[in-house]
Amino acid sequence: MEKQRIFRSRQNVTFGDLNAIQDYAARTFEDVVSDLLISGKGYAGFLSTRDSATTVQVGAGRLYSAGRIFAHDATLSVSLSTYLPAAAQRIVTLVAYGQTIDSEIEPRDFLINVTTRATEPQSVAMVQERVAQVSVVPGSESADPQRPAIPEAYVPIADVLIGTAGIISVTMRADFAVPELDLAKERLDGITAWQLRVGQVLDGLLSDLATLGRRVDSLPTRAEFADLAAQVAALRMALDELRRNITASIEADLSVIKAQMKAFADLVAGQLTAIAANLAVVKENLDLSDLNSLYGADQFLTADESDVTAAGYDALVEEGVRFPWAATALSTLQLDNPINGSVTVTADGLMVPNYTSIDALVVGAPVANEVVQAIPVADYQFATHQLIQRSISRTRIRYGTTRTVCTNSSFWSGGQYNSVTGVFTKNGETFEVRDANGNIPTAVGRNAAHGWYRVRQFWTDTFDETYWEYQPTISTIQGVQIGQTFVNGQARYCSGLSLGFTQIGPTGNVTVAICETRSDGTPNPNRVLAQSTLAQGNLKRFPEWTLFPIRPTLLKQGGRYGLLVITGGAHYIGTVSGSNFTSGTLFFSTDGQYLLGDLTKDIRFKVHVAKFTSTRVSVELKPLQLAGGVADIDILAPQIVPDATNLTYQVRVGDTWYSIAETTPDFLGSLPAVLPLRAVMTGTPELMPVIHATDSQVRVSRAKTAFTHVSSERTLPSGMTTKQVRVVVRLYPFVAAQHTIAVTLLTGAGFATSVTPAAVVTRNVSSSDRANDVEKEYLFTVASPIAAYKIKLVGGASSAGQLFHIEQRIDTAI
């Protein structure tokens, strides 16, 4: 022991001496435990197991804390019925904590009179013991439950995962278990043995390094290396000169070969056909016309090279030639219950999960006895202003057995095909486009921020920008325009803007627009996101704010935005000193176009944002219906799905809901005629998905088992004719036992003469890793020379559930 109490013969002993003996022993034992075993907190024992659906059995154990030992001697049953979650799951942590209690109450005599030696009995605690108590710390209910925070005084023993039906699992907290010395010894012995083995390896490495050092010393010197480098440089220059000479020679030879190519056509027909076919593909990728050319190709991304008016034409051109629809039905996304309590549909059809508006930014809040400064709006330049409001970009989701993957979808990224009008337009729709300067661009949809994903049965197309330049709303407003910029700190939906009017004129509506800013930080009226107009009678006088409600509009985190205020009325807007708000600038319109900044003040305004009442919303929509059954679903909808949120469309077949997603197996094989539809939105209180339902289009279809495609007229260069035409088509996934394909050449007056191929060659595409990726080559020979022709493709399938498509067609006039 660290201390000992000394006793001597015939010495009086007090109760303090006896208690000190225990204190010395206890303190020494605590120091030994803290110094040699565990200095912090931990436990031993306490084996916890599931006893029933709502109870856990905790065995005996010891709690160690700062060298002190607290014992728990009996097995304990802990009930967790009060912590059962209502809908999801919860983690409940079993913890232990130490208490020092007095026990073993016994009657003992106490001397009350020293003279008479009289005693009096009293019941007193004879034992002071350290007891480990077991308690419970519950976590929060969640679909992804987390451990609860544990107070400092507690030691975690075990985590209990609880579901709605009861206890799912019990996991001991090994990170707080006290290590056993025999296990530590085994580990130390293992480390010692490892050190011996590593030492031998290191000795070998040292020997090898010494050998390597001797070899390095024998290498050439720096000067020798420099001389070698000079020789290499000279050799490189000589090789460059040789390459230039060879290149010039090859170019000259190619020019000669090109001039003599027609004369040697009969000798090198196969080689020329391959070259022409490759050039045809290159021209197609570069969007060069096939008119007046000996060779041509069609990737079938659009129907530009298809004669859709030809007799018998019946095909669908959609990233390949595909089987047309036997039946189809169009609808929009609509609430099945118009009074659905979980979402709100704005006047223009935006479907938004229920929310409340809160203040995200307040500039110039009213202060008691404050003298409010203001600017007279009417003092500035009166002009006619044009606002170009952008619309929500669209997303397209397609699902069905007809959605076989075509390699040509990658050509959307080349900038030669109009991906926006080719993918995101509805039936009969023509896009109007306005760029950031308000002008109509010449190459609509090319090189657009279009992202796509293709797997078998599931296609998605998205647009990178939340608000795009297609389908703008253009409004013209007369009045005075001022602007105020601000920086949005967190990605949120703006639900309204408020202004502080200190004086209200007798007339004059007020329009407020929120817009993006130009690169110089000025508000850009050509990139308006939302606007709102109030009549003069609805304006309020400060300190009462005037609210301009807008439909929920997503503002990016860290984005700089502008408020445009346009009015013809003699209104005054309150201001604050420019030093009070440093994240924005006040602007005035001097001529209706140019905006001049004022750094001395800012207007009084508030930005309201949406706080959503629920982070998961399931919305029942109108069912999808098609007589005879649905085999394909095509959803085209303007929608916003911010990061950390998710929007999934689901349909019900029988009693099972299926997500329209890439991992969902084919659930349309039974051709259901009616598909209940719902949208499942998940997110956070700040961000949730939204859908512009009225601007959506849902197509449900069922494919035919035959198609007929006719190309547009293929004309040869002026004065040239041919008697042979070679056509190559790529088919996927083509199974000869299930599919058929016939190719004919249409010639003569009105292209009424049908020519069948003289030879057909079938081969697998060698460069493809896909099964059933087939290429067929057709050689046509005509009796009389022709200068123009069309190509007819007729395909068939034994089942509407097993279809193929034509990815590419190449034709060469020999």
Side-chain angles (χ1 to χ4, degrees):
M1 292 191 298
E2 296 172 345
K3 289 184 179 181
Q4 289 184 332
R5 182 67 80 180
I6 301 174
F7 297 98
R8 300 171 181 83
S9 178
R10 296 184 298 279
Q11 172 186 329
N12 179 43
V13 177
T14 67
F15 72 92
D17 294 329
L18 298 177
N19 287 337
I21 294 173
Q22 300 181 90
D23 292 338
Y24 296 159
R27 188 173 306 161
T28 300
F29 194 73
E30 291 172 0
D31 290 342
V32 170
V33 172
S34 177
D35 294 341
L36 300 181
L37 298 178
I38 177 170
S39 60
K41 296 186 295 183
Y43 73 89
F46 291 111
L47 179 62
S48 302
T49 58
R50 183 180 184 273
D51 192 27
S52 69
T54 58
T55 60
V56 175
Q57 190 177 73
V58 182
R62 274 82 47 210
L63 172 67
Y64 296 85
S65 178
R68 293 176 294 173
I69 305 175
F70 298 86
H72 178 76
D73 298 329
T75 299
L76 177 66
S77 181
V78 180
S79 174
L80 302 179
S81 59
T82 58
Y83 303 108
L84 290 177
Q89 293 181 344
R90 167 183 287 135
I91 292 178
V92 175
T93 299
L94 301 178
V95 297
Y97 62 93
Q99 283 188 332
T100 302
I101 62 175
D102 296 333
S103 62
E104 296 189 19
I105 308 299
E106 298 179 4
R108 295 297 174 97
D109 292 333
F110 286 78
L111 184 66
I112 61 174
N113 191 313
V114 178
T115 304
T116 63
R117 308 299 293 179
T119 62
E120 180 182 57
Q122 295 183 20
S123 295
V124 293
M126 296 306 297
V127 175
Q128 187 180 71
E129 57 182 343
R130 293 173 178 171
V131 179
Q133 303 288 0
V134 177
S135 185
V136 172
V137 177
S140 300
E141 180 179 342
S142 172
D144 182 20
Q146 304 296 318
R147 289 176 174 174
I150 306 301
E152 180 65 25
Y154 291 171
V155 175
I157 297 174
D159 291 329
V160 183
L161 179 61
I162 306 177
T164 56
I167 296 173
I168 298 174
S169 64
V170 180
T171 306
M172 298 299 294
R173 290 291 293 271
D175 49 336
F176 283 90
V178 175
E180 298 180 12
L181 290 180
D182 54 351
L183 295 178
K185 181 179 181 303
E186 291 178 5
R187 294 175 182 172
L188 182 59
D189 292 341
I191 293 173
T192 302
W194 176 81
Q195 286 181 327
L196 292 175
R197 293 193 301 271
V198 171
Q200 296 172 356
V201 175
L202 289 177
D203 291 339
L205 290 175
L206 290 174
S207 176
D208 293 341
L209 286 174
T211 302
L212 181 61
R214 290 191 296 271
R215 293 180 178 178
V216 169
D217 291 339
S218 64
L219 292 175
T221 64
R222 183 185 300 273
E224 292 171 333
F225 271 117
D227 181 66
L228 180 61
Q231 295 179 31
V232 171
L235 179 60
R236 182 182 293 111
M237 293 177 61
L239 289 175
D240 290 341
E241 180 64 23
L242 178 62
R243 183 169 53 251
R244 285 193 294 270
N245 294 337
I246 293 175
T247 300
S249 177
I250 291 175
E251 290 176 349
D253 292 341
L254 286 176
S255 298
V256 174
I257 292 172
K258 184 177 180 180
Q260 298 176 348
M261 190 173 292
K262 183 168 178 49
F264 293 97
D266 293 338
L267 299 177
V268 293
Q271 292 85 343
L272 290 178
T273 301
I275 294 173
N278 292 331
L279 289 177
V281 175
V282 172
K283 287 177 59 180
E284 177 74 0
N285 295 342
L286 296 177
D287 199 21
L288 300 178
S289 174
D290 292 338
L291 293 176
N292 302 317
S293 174
L294 290 171
Y295 44 84
D298 193 355
Q299 306 285 4
F300 299 115
L301 285 180
T302 67
D304 293 348
E305 298 181 45
S306 303
D307 185 2
V308 296
T309 62
Y313 185 97
D314 191 17
L316 177 66
V317 177
E318 193 173 70
E319 295 183 14
V321 175
R322 300 178 183 271
F323 289 82
W325 303 125
T328 185
L330 294 177
S331 62
T332 59
L333 297 173
Q334 302 179 48
L335 291 176
D336 193 35
N337 180 6
I339 57 173
N340 186 291
S342 59
V343 296
T344 300
V345 180
T346 63
D348 64 345
L350 188 67
M351 188 183 299
V352 187
N354 286 343
Y355 66 90
T356 57
S357 288
I358 61 174
D359 294 342
L361 175 63
V362 180
V363 178
V367 178
N369 302 320
E370 177 189 22
V371 177
V372 180
Q373 302 297 319
I375 54 175
V377 180
D379 285 359
Y380 297 97
Q381 180 70 38
F382 188 98
T384 299
H385 305 276
Q386 177 178 271
L387 301 181
I388 301 179
Q389 182 172 331
R390 297 161 72 87
S391 59
I392 299 175
S393 62
R394 292 175 178 174
T395 295
R396 190 172 185 184
I397 300 172
R398 289 172 274 188
Y399 183 94
T401 56
T402 63
R403 302 298 169 184
T404 51
V405 180
C406 180
T407 58
N408 297 339
S409 61
S410 62
F411 291 115
W412 288 128
S413 63
Q416 308 303 327
Y417 295 97
N418 189 330
S419 66
V420 174
T421 57
V423 174
F424 294 106
T425 54
K426 296 185 291 187
N427 283 352
E429 185 178 48
T430 301
F431 269 162
E432 180 182 359
V433 187
R434 295 288 179 135
D435 61 18
N437 298 317
N439 301 319
I440 299 177
T442 57
V444 178
R446 302 193 178 202
N447 294 313
H450 170 202
W452 63 91
Y453 183 70
R454 302 285 188 268
V455 294
R456 182 171 176 81
Q457 295 185 345
F458 179 71
W459 296 5
T460 59
D461 293 88
T462 57
F463 200 81
D464 293 345
E465 296 184 26
T466 303
Y467 297 92
W468 65 3
E469 57 195 1
Y470 306 94
Q471 295 178 298
T473 300
I474 303 175
S475 54
T476 302
I477 305 174
Q478 291 185 331
V480 176
Q481 175 179 277
I482 64 173
Q484 173 71 52
T485 60
F486 67 94
V487 175
N488 183 54
Q490 180 182 2
R492 300 289 291 267
Y493 284 94
C494 178
S495 58
L497 305 164
S498 290
L499 297 178
F501 291 95
T502 59
Q503 293 185 40
I504 299 172
T507 60
N509 298 343
V510 178
T511 296
V512 174
I514 186 168
C515 65
E516 297 175 355
T517 57
R518 300 184 178 95
S519 58
D520 61 359
T522 59
N524 189 348
N526 297 319
R527 297 179 74 95
V528 172
L529 303 183
Q531 58 180 300
S532 178
T533 300
L534 291 183
Q536 182 271 348
N538 294 324
L539 304 180
K540 307 289 193 274
R541 186 167 182 176
F542 195 75
E544 187 175 1
W545 294 94
T546 300
L547 172 64
F548 292 79
I550 62 174
R551 76 176 189 185
T553 301
L554 182 64
L555 304 183
K556 298 178 182 178
Q557 180 178 0
R560 183 175 295 274
Y561 295 90
L563 304 182
L564 293 175
V565 182
I566 305 175
T567 181
H571 310 307
Y572 284 66
I573 299 180
T575 61
V576 296
S577 170
S579 61
N580 292 334
F581 180 63
T582 59
S583 297
T585 304
L586 175 64
F587 293 90
F588 301 99
S589 176
T590 58
D591 58 356
Q593 295 293 328
Y594 179 75
L595 291 171
L596 179 65
D598 185 347
L599 301 179
T600 64
K601 53 182 165 295
D602 299 279
I603 66 172
R604 293 178 182 257
F605 71 98
K606 293 199 298 183
V607 177
H608 309 286
V609 296
K611 183 177 180 64
F612 295 98
T613 57
S614 177
T615 58
R616 185 183 186 277
V617 174
S618 179
V619 185
E620 300 284 341
L621 303 174
K622 290 287 188 184
L624 307 179
Q625 302 183 54
L626 181 65
V630 176
D632 187 275
I633 301 172
D634 185 346
I635 299 175
L636 177 62
Q639 58 188 42
I640 302 176
V641 185
D643 292 340
T645 70
N646 186 59
L647 170 60
T648 302
Y649 295 99
Q650 296 180 340
V651 294
R652 194 182 73 217
V653 179
D655 296 327
T656 304
W657 285 96
Y658 294 94
S659 296
I660 302 177
E662 62 172 298
T663 57
T664 306
D666 178 21
F667 53 81
L668 300 177
S670 61
L671 296 178
V674 179
L675 288 171
L677 175 67
R678 70 183 181 188
V680 180
M681 307 176 182
T682 57
T684 68
E686 292 77 24
L687 293 173
M688 287 286 286
V690 300
I691 307 170
H692 197 184
T694 56
D695 194 32
S696 65
Q697 175 183 279
V698 182
R699 181 199 301 272
V700 290
S701 310
R702 184 177 63 259
K704 295 180 179 179
T705 57
F707 68 79
T708 299
H709 178 274
V710 179
S711 73
S712 58
E713 181 179 351
R714 291 280 294 112
T715 58
L716 304 185
S718 177
M720 296 188 65
T721 59
T722 185
K723 285 188 175 184
Q724 282 191 332
V725 176
R726 192 182 304 270
V727 177
V728 180
V729 293
R730 184 174 179 178
L731 317 169
Y732 176 78
F734 188 83
V735 181
Q738 300 173 349
H739 304 139
T740 60
I741 182 70
V743 180
T744 54
L745 205 65
L746 304 181
T747 65
F751 300 98
T753 302
S754 180
V755 181
T756 58
V760 180
V761 177
T762 301
R763 55 181 173 264
N764 292 325
V765 179
S766 59
S767 60
S768 174
D769 58 358
R770 303 182 301 178
N772 302 318
D773 197 347
V774 174
E775 196 171 70
K776 283 182 173 288
E777 181 176 333
Y778 300 84
L779 178 62
F780 297 91
T781 302
V782 295
S784 302
I786 58 174
Y789 56 88
K790 292 184 180 181
I791 302 168
K792 184 176 181 180
L793 309 172
V794 178
S798 58
S799 168
Q802 299 292 333
L803 304 177
F804 72 97
H805 65 268
I806 303 177
E807 294 199 355
Q808 177 180 264
R809 186 210 69 230
I810 303 173
D811 63 279
T812 308
I814 302 174

